[in-house]
Amino acid sequence: MTEKRLISKLKNKDKKALDILIKEYSPYVYTIVRNILGQAMTKEDMEEVSADCFIKLWHISEKLDESRPLSPYLAACARNCAKNKLRELHIDYCADELFEDIVSPDSIQDSCEVSHQLSLITECLRGLSDIEQEIFVRFYYYGEKLRDISEMLEISENACKTKLCRTREKLRKYLAERGYTNE
Amino acid sequence: MNDLNWNERFVPLNMADKNDFSANSISLSVQNKLENEKGQITMTKKRIRPLMILAAAIATAAVSMISVNAATDGAITDAVGDTVTKIKMFINGEEVEADAHLVESGVDEEGNEYHVYTFDVDEDEADSVEIAIAEDDTVVNYDTELELSDDGSYETETDYTYDGESIDAVEAE
């Protein structure tokens, strides 16, 4: 069954479609959750956080667009769920300013806002080079380390960091012009 | 970019496999969470109209109305009657007692009888509200805590019982 068809069924609150999507995307979601939560939680806890991500997908399903892939939304959702879990545990994920949210979490009211913000980010990323897009998605959404990203892309870690900072700044400005700020 | 599938274009490094986690556990957890949500009630906060302010217990310019829409097994109808007379609210930790009014009764799409009650909360004063609704301290108890938000609606998990028996609830408008 195509993803488009699954999204359509999900919009109609078909739990079988949700189960198929869980089977398909749980490695992706769990990997992101694990990257962010690291050693802070057990496997079972990280499975719970992954489950929370799919619950959010279920609740926002009526707003999903069949023409768009689920992976960007799931990545954003997994990241947010994991970060929320760290906040519950009073663990500061944003030790490095690069990890800070581009927009203030207070300005995002619900999952629809996350979805809207994500649309804006993907629009903005479209204007960037492939490598800039990849660094940003891997670091910001996947929680991967700059060292690992730079090794995979075969560039220096400093170059990787510079590109990431520039991308963040462009996104921050782009989003601020559209009402999302981090103040 | 909108149409790019990230998990195909940017395959995560060290992708988890079946040895790292259990997809079945995630699936089961999702099922359980969705099942548990059937016991949730949704509370909707609306601006109260000037006419309603006349009857409001808290006479300020920024009074809100919270509607509680709860499906019951039918037994509650006889027990409650037309009005839940007393609500104990803990606004910012301080106990406040107010009247609640039955404003609507009906049957939802699943055939469950429901009732909508209103009561008044000063949203400017209340960062959090903990609600206990009771008639003779025994009939209905909501034991919940909710965060008031600016968008006017929110959900909260609620321990909702009638004479010790769990009662399903439905979402409010």
Side-chain angles (χ1 to χ4, degrees), chain A residues 19 25-26 28 31 34 43 47-48 51-52 58-59 67-69 71 122 126 130 133 138 142 144 152, chain B residues 1-7 9-16 20-23 25 27 29 33-34 37:
Chain A
D19 207 44
Y25 277 103
S26 55
Y28 181 70
T31 300
R34 185 184 61 186
K43 182 187 85 168
E47 287 172 349
E48 280 298 307
D52 289 340
W58 175 259
H59 287 313
S67 67
R68 292 183 173 181
S71 54
T122 51
R126 193 189 300 163
D130 288 350
Q133 292 177 28
R138 288 189 176 283
Y142 291 1
E144 292 175 355
M152 185 201 61
Chain B
M1 185 69 187
N2 275 342
D3 297 325
L4 291 179
N5 207 338
W6 285 5
N7 65 326
R9 187 176 179 208
F10 311 125
V11 178
L13 300 170
N14 304 316
M15 180 82 96
D20 297 320
F21 75 103
S22 166
S25 294
S27 179
S29 176
K33 286 170 191 278
L34 290 177
E37 284 183 357

Side-chain angles (χ1 to χ4, degrees), chain A:
Chain A
M1 194 182 299
T2 64
E3 183 169 293
K4 189 175 180 179
R5 179 73 179 140
L6 285 170
I7 294 172
S8 179
K9 284 178 170 285
L10 200 63
K11 287 163 76 90
N12 291 320
K13 297 299 181 189
D14 185 333
K15 288 188 177 177
K16 286 182 181 175
L18 178 65
D19 207 44
I20 292 170
L21 288 168
I22 290 172
K23 295 284 190 298
E24 185 172 333
Y25 277 103
S26 55
Y28 181 70
V29 167
Y30 184 87
T31 300
I32 294 168
V33 169
R34 185 184 61 186
N35 286 346
I36 293 170
L37 294 179
Q39 303 299 317
M41 303 190 81
T42 64
K43 182 187 85 168
E44 289 74 20
D45 289 333
M46 291 190 286
E47 287 172 349
E48 280 298 307
V49 174
S50 302
D52 289 340
C53 176
F54 288 106
I55 292 287
K56 288 187 184 300
L57 176 69
W58 175 259
H59 287 313
I60 200 182
S61 58
E62 291 169 0
K63 309 278 186 185
L64 292 172
D65 182 346
E66 290 99 326
S67 67
R68 292 183 173 181
L70 277 178
S71 54
Y73 179 76
L74 282 172
C77 198
R79 175 186 184 273
N80 288 345
C81 287
K83 288 188 69 178
N84 288 340
K85 197 67 185 177
L86 287 177
R87 285 195 193 99
E88 283 179 26
L89 299 171
H90 305 292
I91 297 173
D92 185 13
Y93 178 66
C94 301
D96 186 327
E97 64 177 17
L98 284 174
F99 284 105
E100 288 178 359
D101 289 307
I102 292 176
V103 298
S104 167
D106 294 337
S107 70
I108 301 173
Q109 300 293 335
D110 53 33
S111 298
C112 294
E113 291 272 13
V114 172
S115 181
H116 183 239
Q117 184 206 358
L118 190 59
S119 296
L120 292 175
I121 287 174
T122 51
E123 277 176 23
C124 183
L125 288 176
R126 193 189 300 163
L128 305 178
S129 68
D130 288 350
I131 195 169
E132 286 173 326
Q133 292 177 28
E134 181 159 8
I135 291 170
F136 181 79
V137 170
R138 288 189 176 283
F139 183 85
Y140 192 73
Y141 284 105
Y142 291 1
E144 292 175 355
K145 302 284 185 290
L146 273 179
R147 183 183 61 250
D148 298 332
I149 298 170
S150 58
E151 278 180 11
M152 185 201 61
L153 295 174
E154 298 180 337
I155 60 174
S156 72
E157 195 171 329
N158 275 342
C160 195
K161 187 172 183 177
T162 301
K163 289 180 187 297
L164 181 63
C165 288
R166 286 177 183 163
T167 303
R168 278 179 56 86
E169 197 48 45
K170 287 175 188 171
L171 279 168
R172 193 193 307 275
K173 187 178 177 187
Y174 187 85
L175 291 169
E177 288 170 353
R178 286 152 183 81
Y180 290 95
T181 63
N182 188 22
E183 293 175 355

